[in-house]
Amino acid sequence: MKPGILLLTAFLTLTSCKREQKKSSPEAVSVSNLVQYKEESGGLHIKSGNFTYNFKKDQIPFKKVILLNASMAGYIAELGAEELIIGVSSPEYIFSEKIQEKIKEGKIKNVGNEQKYDVEKIISLKPDAIFTNHIASFDNTYELLKNNGIQVIFLDEYKEQKPLEKTAYLKLFGKLLGMDKKAEAEYAEIEKNYNELKQLASKAKQKPLVLANEMYGDVWYLPGGKTSVAHYISDANAQYILKNNTDEKAVTMSFEEVFSTSKGVKYWVNAGSHTSKKDMLNMNPFYSKLDVFNKGYVYGIGGREKEKANDFFESGVVRADWVLKDYIKIFHPELLPNYQLTYMKELK
């Protein structure tokens, strides 16, 4: 081949590569199996469960948002973006001191609760977006809000069963609030902490047997073997009594069934928000028949609780590393001798 033709071929190839590079768009970011997002033509395409959203470049980042779930407040607070919140529902369930201060100052409005949202107030506040879990019985309310030009974004983070995937919603909030770098850095730090803690837990010599949750009425709702609670227990190097179960939801059992499967259990975790064992017995005297209640260790989730607000369901949704650290401290206290529990509390 002649030199001139070689140069021409090289030029055309280089030009073609440059064109292809310009055409290519960023890869979709997978937060979890439920949530993905992708930047397209300067805008943002989001898939969350069965819902999809397309935001143009001039629609984001959001400057005014309303939260209809306390868990959403956990993500906003982790990013230090509380000033973007203009309304919340059921403020009595929000733990964040900064958000509570802003509610008292009137900077954040109370927009009702899950029995009845104050639609007129929400519309008058003119939010850029509302973040909420999807509740089918409120579809008419959601439609009314959408018809008034309000964007309702459904994020069902409670369905996520892998702790770090629940944490990863931070990335999406960062994208929507113009805090990408901070969100990526926060997630990376939590992920690093989590994996280091998991590695630390693997060094424990014992692998104790664990029971979780409590009874409501005549039914004990145990976390399924593939739920976030089961993942935490496993990552903390302990053995969950339903470790071979494959459910990603609660498993219902009678007291007799739990009694017969809990032989040898040393730790009982997530035993509600009770203040003491006596408090537990007042609710269900059958607990006194369990060996773990009498000879083992029982832990509730009341470590960070103020009246109706419990931070386990707020910052605990985001800080998977802190939750895992609590479980490791419970099951293997010798590995974290100087650490004080954050969300969990031993019941005496």
Side-chain angles (χ1 to χ4, degrees):
M1 190 178 286
K2 293 180 180 180
I5 295 174
L6 275 170
L7 283 170
L8 179 60
T9 304
F11 173 75
L12 289 172
T13 303
L14 184 60
T15 305
S16 174
C17 288
K18 284 184 177 178
R19 281 178 186 158
E20 286 177 13
Q21 286 172 3
K22 284 182 180 178
K23 285 180 183 176
S24 65
S25 57
E27 291 293 313
V29 175
S30 179
V31 172
S32 69
N33 287 332
L34 287 177
V35 177
Q36 299 87 38
Y37 64 85
K38 185 177 183 180
E39 289 183 275
E40 295 179 322
S41 305
L44 188 66
H45 173 77
I46 300 170
K47 182 180 182 301
S48 176
N50 296 322
F51 302 94
T52 57
Y53 308 91
N54 288 290
F55 297 108
K56 295 176 182 176
K57 198 172 184 178
D58 61 353
Q59 289 180 291
I60 51 177
F62 299 140
K63 300 298 182 187
K64 298 191 299 179
V65 300
I66 288 177
L67 313 177
L68 300 185
N69 299 89
S71 58
M72 305 292 172
Y75 293 103
I76 304 281
E78 185 65 28
L79 293 173
E82 292 92 344
E83 73 280 356
L84 301 180
I85 305 170
I86 58 170
V88 296
S89 70
S90 303
E92 66 273 19
Y93 289 103
I94 292 180
F95 186 86
S96 166
E97 288 183 9
K98 281 190 180 179
I99 293 175
Q100 287 296 347
E101 283 173 15
K102 290 180 181 296
I103 292 169
K104 287 174 186 174
E105 293 167 0
K107 293 177 181 176
I108 295 177
K109 306 296 182 184
N110 179 355
V111 297
N113 54 53
E114 286 188 0
Q115 276 67 53
K116 188 174 181 10
Y117 295 124
D118 190 334
V119 176
E120 288 184 8
K121 185 181 281 188
I122 292 173
I123 293 170
S124 71
L125 288 170
K126 298 179 180 178
D128 296 327
I130 292 174
F131 292 105
T132 183
N133 298 149
H134 178 254
I135 302 172
S137 59
F138 277 101
D139 279 341
N140 289 337
T141 301
Y142 302 143
E143 200 60 37
L144 180 58
L145 293 169
K146 290 175 188 176
N147 290 339
N148 278 274
I150 297 173
Q151 183 65 62
V152 182
I153 302 174
F154 301 115
L155 296 174
D156 295 337
E157 92 296 326
Y158 68 93
K159 292 181 179 178
E160 301 291 353
Q161 300 305 334
K162 293 181 180 176
L164 286 174
E165 289 189 354
K166 194 173 289 195
T167 297
Y169 277 56
L170 265 177
K171 298 178 185 179
L172 179 59
F173 276 95
K175 221 13 133 176
L176 292 171
L177 303 179
M179 305 179 79
D180 307 41
K181 288 183 179 178
K182 184 167 188 178
E184 290 285 350
E186 289 284 332
Y187 175 78
E189 180 67 17
I190 294 169
E191 181 185 41
K192 176 175 173 287
N193 292 345
Y194 192 97
N195 289 329
E196 286 177 355
L197 284 163
K198 185 177 174 181
Q199 183 63 31
L200 175 68
S202 70
K203 297 175 182 177
K205 295 176 182 177
Q206 303 295 323
K207 198 168 185 176
L209 195 58
V210 181
L211 172 67
N213 288 16
E214 62 174 335
M215 293 189 78
Y216 291 93
D218 297 328
V219 180
W220 197 307
Y221 293 87
L222 288 97
K226 296 296 181 183
T227 58
S228 59
V229 174
H231 283 301
Y232 275 124
I233 293 171
S234 175
D235 289 349
N237 197 20
Q239 190 175 188
Y240 179 42
I241 62 167
L242 294 185
K243 65 172 184 171
N244 295 324
N245 179 274
T246 57
D247 286 317
E248 290 190 348
K249 60 182 188 302
V251 176
T252 57
M253 294 176 74
S254 67
F255 177 81
E256 289 75 18
E257 288 174 310
V258 173
F259 180 83
S260 64
T261 57
S262 63
K263 303 293 184 185
V265 166
K266 187 176 181 181
Y267 296 98
W268 177 1
V269 297
N270 292 40
S273 298
H274 302 289
T275 56
S276 66
K277 285 186 173 180
K278 183 180 178 181
D279 183 29
M280 292 181 73
L281 290 179
N282 287 337
M283 181 172 283
N284 195 321
F286 284 111
Y287 289 152
S288 64
K289 297 181 182 295
L290 295 169
D291 284 346
V292 65
F293 186 87
N294 298 308
K295 301 174 186 176
Y297 302 89
V298 182
Y299 289 83
I301 53 171
R304 284 175 65 83
E305 195 170 39
K306 287 185 294 192
E307 297 178 3
K308 292 183 178 180
N310 190 324
D311 202 27
F312 180 71
F313 301 111
E314 195 167 311
S315 73
V317 171
V318 188
R319 296 303 309 230
D321 52 345
W322 294 352
V323 177
L324 180 61
K325 200 169 188 178
D326 269 14
Y327 285 122
I328 294 171
K329 175 67 176 182
I330 290 169
F331 306 142
H332 311 292
E334 73 283 358
L335 296 178
L336 295 165
N338 301 317
Y339 174 67
Q340 300 296 316
L341 294 175
T342 299
Y343 303 108
M344 311 297 170
K345 184 179 181 181
E346 185 175 2
L347 303 181
K348 301 286 190 177

